[in-house]
Amino acid sequence: MSFYQEIEKYRDFDFEKFFASVNAEKVQKIMQKDFLNREDFLVLLSSQAEDFLEPMAQKAHQITKQYFGKEIGLYTPMYLANHCVNQCRYCGFNAKNKIPRQKMTLEEVEKEAKFISEAGLKHILILTGDSRLESPVPYIIDCVRILKKYFSSIAIEIYALEQAEYRQMVEAGVDGLTIYQEVYDEKVYDYVHKAGPKKDYKFRLDAPKRAASVGMRFLNVGALLGLSDFRSEVFFCGLHAKYLQDQFPESEVGFSVPRMRPHEGEFQPKVIVKDKNVVQILLAMRLFLPKLGINVSTRESAEFRENILPLGITKMSAGSTTAVGGHTFENKETEQFEISDERSVAEIKQMLLEKGYQPVMKNWMRF
Amino acid sequence: MLPLRGISRDDIIIKNINMKNTLKIGGKELKSRFFMGTGKFANFEEMQKAIIASKADVVTVAVRRVDLDSKTDNILDFIPKDVVLMPNTSGARNADEAVRIAHLAKAAGCGNWIKIEVIPDNQYLLPDNLETLKAIEALVKEDFVVLPYMNPDLVMARRMVEAGAVAIMPLGAPIGSNRGIKTKEIVKIMVKELSVPVIVDAGIGKPSEAAECMEMGCGAVLADTAVATADDSVLMAEAFAEAIEAGRKAYLAGTGGVQESASASSPLTGFLRDS
């Protein structure tokens, strides 16, 4: 069964009417529960629940401590290429944007990998733009072969693949897949993905399912906050995570809260998602799915990342760059978006230790 | 007062306890019946202090966490050299993966003890007993000292012992749940029936619950989350150590029977007095 069928169930659901029916008593009742259902989750995403952020935070903190302890996993992204055939209105790599296009050679990948690994990182997330021509599966697999020498866990954030291709990736040594639906509202999806293969909503939606069914260990989903109403978007994203947890109990499911950042291109956020909103999203997600990995990237500022640490975060990126060859190339004019927390890996490690968290550099290996 | 004739009261107690108190597993004599986990700590230094405070003789480490390349972040560098290292197969979803992780542990110089964890369910972290049994069969043949983490089940535990497990580690409650010894009735039966030590692993949230396990006759208790996530993990490690010792002493001393209800004032067989 596709997750699309789950979304279909809400085709005629009136979110506004539901939110209008929420009152303080309902929220309080949910706060007493051990296990939350979908409806409870949606109540916690309502504007009325904003009055309960502190008790929600206390509970989320407790649950996170219990399941994940005082540990935060660290990883860094590595952009292999930025060639792209899609025309996503919100993205700096949009095919129509006049930016320098680059792709790392295998020698350059090795140089970059060596540089990144010297900071002690063992978990890497590799990214490309969406171009089967410029960054085909065999090229990515060649890169993975090199990266295996330096990293104990390799995740991909690339265009949606067919099941057989995910199997090739897993066999090559990839253990994680990050793929954001970006926006669950199908109409908005169709609008913001103006042209290109990414326009296929359902193919992208079932990408994590295809990967998990061939043994992908770590699945990370997300909605790009700012494209549509965040309350219903996060609701569907939470249901997507829950669907994956239920269908593939052998895989670990994670969630990210990417907020739109300034980028090259004319399309700017449609909805402003405030800090308070992000906090509510994190808390509702944690209370709904206690075992969910929650990941926060350097899109967010250093200060905000530190503040939300105790609210359920389990993973952070560190020492990031969103440019191809961002660590070793002299020309770094290919950024996908501007990062906000520019601290080095060593600085992030130090910050975590000072805050009472163990920076976990290695928590996986190929076996 | 009775004359002690040159022996102190402490000597008597210690002698009595030592006679029955050494836990023997895999050819090792262990003084402490507290096994410590190493996950979830705020930093490696704190973990090290907690291990020392716990006086644990056996410490388990997830092989997936070991980073032999790192000069600063190798967890093994923070584990006291005099403890028995018991690597675990966290991350294994089936017997084959558990066996492969055990091989990596050996290759990394972690000794020949292995705690088998085969968990195909990331939601509740409940183990797969059947795959665990298969992993035991394979690893015992390779001379590993095998301690399986399992869902309490006497019949399966017997099979695991037959396959060569040196101890059985049933869960008290789901990992990290801090819910205590919820599987008490089954674990009690296992303690009574099995020929190897029963070590309660997972779910123990408080020292008093660890003491309860020991009073039941368990061989040892393994705790991690309850210690690592305490506000003061070093103090909590000490508290667990003392509770486990107290529970063991109580077991050896023989606890009094518990009356489920008060004695009836009008016994049903009272009439027999008249005959």
Side-chain angles (χ1 to χ4, degrees), chain B residues 42-216:
Chain B
N43 57 64
F44 287 151
E45 286 79 12
E46 194 183 305
M47 177 195 81
Q48 187 178 46
K49 281 183 199 158
I51 294 172
I52 293 167
S54 75
K55 298 195 185 111
D57 286 327
V58 180
V59 167
T60 188
V61 176
V63 180
R64 63 195 266 188
R65 290 294 302 271
V66 174
D67 186 0
L68 295 174
D69 301 337
S70 175
K71 290 186 184 72
T72 52
D73 295 309
N74 182 3
I75 191 169
L76 296 182
D77 293 339
F78 295 83
I79 293 174
K81 298 289 170 241
D82 55 343
V83 306
V84 178
L85 196 60
M86 178 172 67
N88 67 61
T89 64
S90 162
R93 298 180 288 195
N94 53 48
D96 284 350
E97 290 181 350
V99 169
R100 290 209 292 274
I101 296 174
H103 291 163
L104 288 169
K106 207 177 224 177
C110 294
N112 68 335
W113 282 44
I114 192 84
K115 178 185 153 196
I116 302 180
E117 274 185 42
V118 178
I119 299 181
D121 183 319
N122 274 300
Q123 279 309 293
Y124 301 100
L125 300 177
L126 293 171
D128 182 332
N129 283 350
L130 191 59
E131 289 294 310
T132 303
L133 177 64
K134 287 184 199 163
I136 297 169
E137 286 166 346
L139 291 170
V140 165
K141 279 187 200 143
E142 298 178 29
D143 292 331
F144 276 93
V145 174
V146 180
L147 297 91
Y149 169 62
M150 60 116 49
N151 221 327
D153 175 344
L154 178 66
V155 178
M156 187 47 101
R158 279 189 175 134
R159 287 181 185 216
M160 288 177 175
V161 174
E162 273 168 32
V166 295
I168 294 291
M169 307 184 74
L171 57 92
I175 296 183
S177 68
N178 285 350
R179 286 180 187 269
I181 175 89
K182 295 290 178 201
T183 55
K184 191 173 171 178
E185 297 306 321
I186 308 296
V187 170
K188 254 188 191 168
I189 295 171
M190 289 169 66
V191 168
K192 186 165 165 273
E193 296 297 325
L194 295 178
S195 57
V196 300
V198 172
I199 302 168
V200 174
D201 177 5
I204 302 302
K206 292 195 284 283
S208 56
E209 293 158 0
E212 191 183 354
C213 295
M214 298 309 295
E215 286 166 8
M216 281 159 52

Side-chain angles (χ1 to χ4, degrees), chain A residues 10-63:
Chain A
Y10 292 87
R11 188 159 293 280
D12 299 321
F13 186 79
D14 190 339
F15 281 91
E16 274 181 37
K17 196 176 158 194
F18 179 88
F19 286 133
S21 75
V22 174
N23 55 34
E25 199 187 333
K26 259 192 187 169
V27 181
Q28 275 164 333
K29 217 170 167 185
I30 289 165
M31 294 298 294
Q32 304 304 319
K33 291 173 78 168
D34 276 344
F35 300 101
L36 272 54
N37 60 32
R38 297 161 171 227
E39 199 176 298
D40 299 333
F41 175 46
L42 193 55
V43 168
L44 295 187
L45 287 169
S46 68
S47 56
Q48 288 87 330
E50 286 176 12
D51 295 339
F52 295 86
L53 291 186
E54 183 55 32
M56 282 168 73
Q58 294 293 344
K59 196 168 174 186
H61 175 61
Q62 203 51 45
I63 292 174

